[in-house]
Amino acid sequence: MKTMKRVLIVASMAFMAVMLYQWGHVDEREGKSSGIISEAIAAESPPKASPVKARARDFYAPNSEDLGPDEMRVIACGTGMPTSRPGQAASCWLLELGNGDKFIFDIGTGSGERIAALQIPYNYLDKVFLSHLHTDHFGDLDALFVGGALSGRQKPLRVWGPSGDTPERGTKYALDHLYKALTWDLDGRAGITDPRGYQPFEVTEFDYKGVNEIIYQENGVTIRSIPAIHSLDGPVSFIVEWNGLKFVFGGDTYPNKWYAKYAKDADLAIHECFIAVPDLITKFKFTPQGALSVGTQIHTAPEAFGKMMSIIKPRMAVAYHFFNDFDTSGPINDRIRKTYDGPLSLAKDYMVWNITKDDIRVRMAIYDEAVWPPPPTEKPQVPDPKLRIPYSDFIVDGKYDMKDVIQPTYDEINKKYGLKEKQD
Ligand SMILES: [Zn+2]
Ligand SMILES: [Zn+2]
């Protein structure tokens, strides 16, 4: 940044001195061409090139960088809409702290595969905070729950979420029933897989009307919630404080006074920013009435997002909850810039922010499409076959005899690992 500023200052002085048309004018003191702009660039140290050494990368490759003890890393694992699409899953944000803690804020539809792409052992991904119970904010909870347990989470999944104005509209009700909906899935895994990750969700339901009240405090990390205004009573936003850094994750909301007050001076402030109304009508096929209502009253319009950021003045503002395309990001940026001129990221899936007290670095993650589960952090527990729920005689009778072709695989594995396993 400093380099650019210096170049710009030199360039502006040049403009004033020689007028616009006199590039490379003759210096009156030395009588030779000064080539003002190129001189300024030439004064910078040359970039370090080498035919044999690697250069610093300008992207984030999962599982390739240590996190500093004072550093916070945030990765967008979903930034879009309820209709998830290949380029954008619905709301999901991973927060990683230099003390080793990791938190998932929202786990919207389609975000599970983004989490998988980051190659983080699932035992470290056991804490989820839900801003509200729209599927674009918790639609992949079942994927993380079951897929995570299958891939190395050896403990229950902990979930924090708001109450509702009735018990049926609260997080506990939703998750109790989600667990019940998974009865067939979970029964079918009994006695086959390590059972520890499949225990019922450990739900902490907190009062959605709590204003900046602590809902989590462990290991030097404090998380508070503030109410949000969206669809029904219940939605919230979260404020995380750790090691002198402040991270704010705003759930869906009409701009509200609690965010304006408690998100102030955040290092990273995420807030929803909806598709501009004209694009909601022409591209998202909303009716004009629906676009006005949803785009400005149920959610936050880009101009309103900008106004909110001008109030709270974060070190970095992050806008999400819109389809971020070449033809929509321009209008959204223009509208935000009517009311806000500070640092801004228009979020895309796999955008990465590294935050320290001195710096905020924004990059994109480059990931492996063919990623496999990372190693478990603890030894897997061998399941108890006695817990297996048997097939009926009717289904057993339908088995085609494959014993002869499968036996060589048993022989191979028993020999390699010193086992005495037998076919069912
Ligand atoms: Zn919502
Ligand atoms: Zn939403």
Side-chain angles (χ1 to χ4, degrees), residues 132 134 136-137 230 252 299:
H132 64 299
H134 272 151
D136 56 320
H137 297 257
H230 174 67
D252 291 0
H299 289 281

Side-chain angles (χ1 to χ4, degrees), residues 131-137 230-231 235 252-253 272 298-299 321:
S131 67
H132 64 299
L133 296 166
H134 272 151
T135 53
D136 56 320
H137 297 257
H230 174 67
S231 291
D252 291 0
T253 192
E272 70 134 299
I298 304 294
H299 289 281
H321 216 308

Side-chain angles (χ1 to χ4, degrees), residues 22-23 46 87 91 94 97 123 201 206 208 246 260 290 340 382 390:
Q22 281 187 298
W23 295 102
S91 178
L94 175 72
L97 304 179
N123 250 353
F201 301 105
F206 56 86
Y208 75 93
K246 181 169 170 178
Y340 174 64
V382 178

Side-chain angles (χ1 to χ4, degrees), residues 305-331:
F305 171 91
K307 184 172 174 178
M308 181 58 70
M309 290 303 154
S310 287
I311 293 165
I312 68 159
K313 295 185 173 42
R315 282 176 69 206
M316 176 63 74
V318 180
Y320 80 104
H321 216 308
F322 59 92
F323 279 163
N324 191 346
D325 295 339
F326 71 94
D327 56 348
T328 55
S329 57

